[in-house]
Amino acid sequence: MSNLLAGIDIGGTKCAVLLATPTESGAVILDKVRFPTPPTPQESIAEFNRVLNDLLVKYPADRLASVGISCGGPLNSRTGMVLRPPNLPGWVNIDVVTPFTQAFHVPAAVMNDANACALAEWMWGAGRGLDNVVFLTFGTGMGAGLILDGRLYAGTCDLGGEVGHLRLSADGPVGFGKHGSFEGWCSGGGIARYAQERARQAIEAGAPPTYCPTLADLDNITAASVAQAVHAGDPLARDIFDTVARRLGEGLAYLVDILNPQRIIIGSIFGRQRDLLEPLMWESLKAEAIAESLAVCDVVPAGLGEQVGDFASLAIAAGLLKI
């Protein structure tokens, strides 16, 4: 009989339940079930338990050892309470840990999703073997997970690493409720909002961008469609991504100067659009950061690639077993 790790990934629109077996070099995912996020936290928790029970029936020769829960914050990882995530309406002061410990009689824990991704990359990905690592989500939003002096740093109330709230400019796209924030400039939503504004200005000036020829198309602009337009040769799209790349470098410079990390690992959009972002990112980073700190830090895409979110909850479960 071998141990099984269970991972629960709670998202604003989609959830997932995973089973994996731990190995010396990481974890092997055995099964994964995805489903739309139920309307209420009570329905969600009931569905998590039902799906996990069904998965365990498929592997009767193994036993569940621990459950890790990855969720957007704010939350309290010490008490197991999800407090009030903006992407989860109705999830106000919800205990997500106790239902699993009571139903399955194993250790369980919840963690901010950015922290969980940082843990996964540190244990099994691009941060393995390092003591000082920053993980940046760079997806729908911009958040950070911090590994400092060989341990996860979550802050006094689980809000350590909220780098998306940093203001990079007096004006600019809104992110984390603030104009010109790191999240405003460097997130999927922020890039789309910035591109919509730039495209609107171009249309009003009588020079519509080739990737958005009519005003009606503005509502369909995404970070991915802007990237596609860059590769198609659209000059406005190119300028938009150049601006984002420079802002990314500026944001990274703050992290390099303040935290002096060995490595910054960036997920999602950076890995997909590295060729568009990296040259000007490095130009800006070299201009802004302390040279000696930058000399000992590199910047890489997530080693776990598009699966970093899957491994995040499993890393929490593995951490409970000290694997």
Side-chain angles (χ1 to χ4, degrees):
M1 178 178 289
S2 60
N3 290 332
L4 292 175
L5 307 176
I8 308 294
D9 183 13
I10 307 175
T13 58
K14 296 285 186 181
C15 294
V17 179
L18 303 99
L19 272 188
T21 55
T23 67
E24 290 185 3
S25 58
V28 176
I29 296 176
L30 299 175
D31 224 320
K32 175 182 176 181
V33 177
R34 296 188 69 193
F35 51 89
T37 303
T40 69
Q42 293 76 21
E43 290 172 279
S44 298
I45 291 170
E47 184 68 0
F48 296 145
N49 281 344
R50 185 192 68 77
V51 173
L52 181 53
N53 264 313
D54 288 347
L55 287 178
L56 292 172
V57 169
K58 293 176 64 176
Y59 300 91
D62 301 313
R63 68 175 184 87
L64 183 64
S66 59
V67 179
I69 307 158
S70 173
C71 182
L75 54 79
N76 188 324
S77 61
R78 297 166 183 84
T79 63
M81 300 290 287
V82 175
L83 302 179
R84 194 187 296 267
N87 66 330
L88 289 169
W91 286 69
V92 180
N93 299 326
I94 300 297
D95 180 354
V96 294
V97 169
T98 302
F100 290 99
T101 59
Q102 290 182 343
F104 298 98
H105 307 291
V106 296
V110 64
M111 188 178 291
N112 175 288
D113 49 7
N115 289 346
C117 287
L119 191 64
E121 284 289 329
W122 181 51
M123 293 171 63
W124 303 322
R128 191 168 187 175
L130 302 179
D131 290 326
N132 296 298
V133 175
V134 176
F135 175 83
L136 298 179
T137 56
F138 201 174
T140 304
M142 169 60 80
L146 309 176
I147 304 294
L148 304 177
D149 289 334
R151 59 187 296 182
L152 179 72
Y153 177 80
T156 304
C157 60
D158 278 300
L159 288 174
E162 292 292 356
V163 300
H165 201 246
L166 293 172
R167 194 186 296 278
L168 299 183
S169 61
D171 198 6
V174 175
F176 214 138
K178 184 185 287 186
H179 283 280
S181 65
F182 199 178
E183 179 168 292
W185 287 111
C186 299
S187 67
I191 293 171
R193 285 187 288 274
Y194 180 53
Q196 286 166 351
E197 180 60 26
R198 291 290 303 275
R200 182 178 292 108
Q201 292 170 355
I203 291 167
E204 291 172 353
T210 57
Y211 74 96
C212 181
T214 68
L215 190 62
D217 290 334
L218 289 175
D219 292 336
N220 297 318
I221 292 176
T222 65
S225 69
V226 179
Q228 290 170 359
V230 178
H231 290 295
D234 185 90
L236 179 56
R238 174 76 265 183
D239 187 65
I240 289 166
F241 254 89
D242 285 353
T243 301
V244 170
R246 291 189 181 95
R247 295 299 188 187
L248 177 60
E250 292 170 7
L252 297 183
Y254 281 114
L255 302 179
V256 169
D257 288 355
I258 294 170
L259 299 175
N260 192 200
Q262 296 161 285
R263 180 165 292 165
I264 298 174
I265 304 167
I266 313 180
S268 298
I269 292 173
F270 183 73
R272 298 171 203 145
Q273 311 300 342
R274 188 178 183 182
D275 60 326
L276 302 183
L277 294 167
E278 202 165 39
L280 289 179
M281 177 201 79
W282 274 108
E283 182 179 304
S284 181
L285 182 51
K286 290 175 181 177
E288 296 291 337
I290 296 171
E292 290 80 6
S293 293
L294 187 56
V296 297
C297 178
D298 59 2
V299 181
V300 301
L304 298 172
E306 299 291 342
Q307 283 193 294
V308 64
D310 289 339
F311 283 101
S313 57
L314 296 172
I316 303 169
L320 290 169
L321 303 181
K322 308 299 181 184
I323 295 172

